[in-house]
Amino acid sequence: YGYPRETDEHLKRYYWLHLSLLLWNETVGEAHENSKWLWRVEPDVHFAGSLSSLLEATQQDPADLMLHKFIQMKNPDDVDYYHWERHPGLLRHVPMSKRVHSLVSIGRYSHKFLKMVRRRYWQQGLTGYEEILLPVACATAGGSAKRRAEACEMAALSPGAGVRNLHLAKHFRYRPEFTCEEFLQSYRRQENVLWHPVKNASCLADSLGLPSPDY
């Protein structure tokens, strides 16, 4: 569904980035099944504190899918999020109450969730834009007696559509980007919150005496 049919060259390339979980799961996923969760973080996501603090703040939450925040589809003709229209097949039997999307710039995924997505979607040849596919897969899991074991818990890093949240993403948005100096001040105060997008983190690298990252 979706981006294989996209005509915009940038969005066609971007679609393949949204297969990274599938590729990871098919290549090395089974080697890490003893761990509880997989974290995936894009390079323009930064945490104003130590990563151990982020893990400590989330480790007690049992969610199978933890993303930025979940936004519900407003109506069948919702044009505020134009990616909906690229997934008619994926959404055909999904009720409006379970049509949710989220940024996937940072996410935590249980191995149980990844196995369910693999079985119900990837192995059936069903892929899609992850900002839709992953939240919808979790929201619709465990809907029948046969699939009760697949029930999926969701949690958000920022307040969203009726999902418990951890209030860790206070400076998180799609655009415009934050400056390095804005993030650096938060980092110096060790505010323990997530920032996105911070494309240029050279000032942080300079302050820590590290090689400057090039995104």
Side-chain angles (χ1 to χ4, degrees):
Y1 299 117
Y3 279 70
R5 303 173 184 174
E6 181 57 65
T7 56
D8 182 280
E9 289 300 318
H10 168 70
L11 293 178
K12 284 175 70 173
R13 290 191 300 271
Y14 194 53
Y15 169 78
W16 296 110
L17 296 178
H18 282 244
L19 292 179
S20 62
L21 279 178
L22 184 158
L23 295 174
W24 183 89
N25 197 70
E26 294 299 307
T27 53
V28 299
E30 292 184 0
H32 296 273
E33 287 186 340
N34 290 331
S35 61
K36 287 186 177 181
W37 299 291
L38 163 72
W39 281 89
R40 183 181 59 177
V41 185
E42 293 181 0
D44 59 354
V45 175
H46 297 274
F47 185 67
S50 67
L51 287 181
S52 61
S53 297
L54 174 61
L55 297 178
E56 289 172 4
T58 56
Q59 67 180 353
Q60 298 303 319
D61 193 291
D64 296 290
L65 178 63
M66 184 180 293
L67 295 173
H68 167 224
K69 68 177 178 180
F70 299 93
I71 302 173
Q72 190 169 345
M73 190 179 193
K74 295 178 180 178
N75 57 66
D77 299 316
D78 190 348
V79 295
D80 290 341
Y81 187 67
Y82 66 90
H83 301 302
W84 288 124
E85 65 185 32
R86 288 164 168 77
H87 296 75
L90 185 67
L91 300 170
R92 186 174 295 122
H93 302 296
V94 177
M96 286 288 297
S97 62
K98 297 184 182 297
R99 297 186 182 188
V100 289
H101 71 89
S102 173
L103 290 176
V104 293
S105 313
I106 183 172
R108 194 191 75 176
Y109 312 90
S110 72
H111 288 285
K112 169 188 153 187
F113 172 73
L114 292 177
K115 287 180 180 178
M116 180 272 291
V117 174
R118 180 187 187 193
R119 183 169 54 253
R120 289 182 57 192
Y121 297 92
W122 295 335
Q123 288 184 337
Q124 307 305 317
L126 304 178
T127 61
Y129 194 56
E130 282 187 351
E131 293 187 357
I132 291 175
L133 173 64
L134 299 178
V136 167
C138 188
T140 57
S144 65
K146 291 182 178 180
R147 291 179 174 171
R148 196 159 294 155
E150 294 181 342
C152 184
E153 282 196 65
M154 303 163 75
L157 297 164
S158 184
V163 176
R164 68 176 180 273
N165 72 87
L166 281 69
H167 299 282
L168 290 171
K170 296 180 179 179
H171 306 286
F172 210 98
R173 62 196 183 199
Y174 172 54
R175 60 171 59 143
E177 66 182 83
F178 293 102
T179 67
C180 185
E181 288 71 22
E182 288 176 298
F183 169 71
L184 181 58
Q185 292 303 314
S186 178
Y187 180 82
R188 285 172 171 165
R189 291 192 293 268
Q190 292 289 285
E191 293 180 336
N192 290 332
V193 292
L194 289 158
W195 287 70
H196 173 271
V198 182
K199 300 290 187 182
N200 182 354
S202 58
C203 70
L204 175 63
D206 292 342
S207 71
L208 297 176
L210 300 174
S212 178
D214 183 4
Y215 301 146

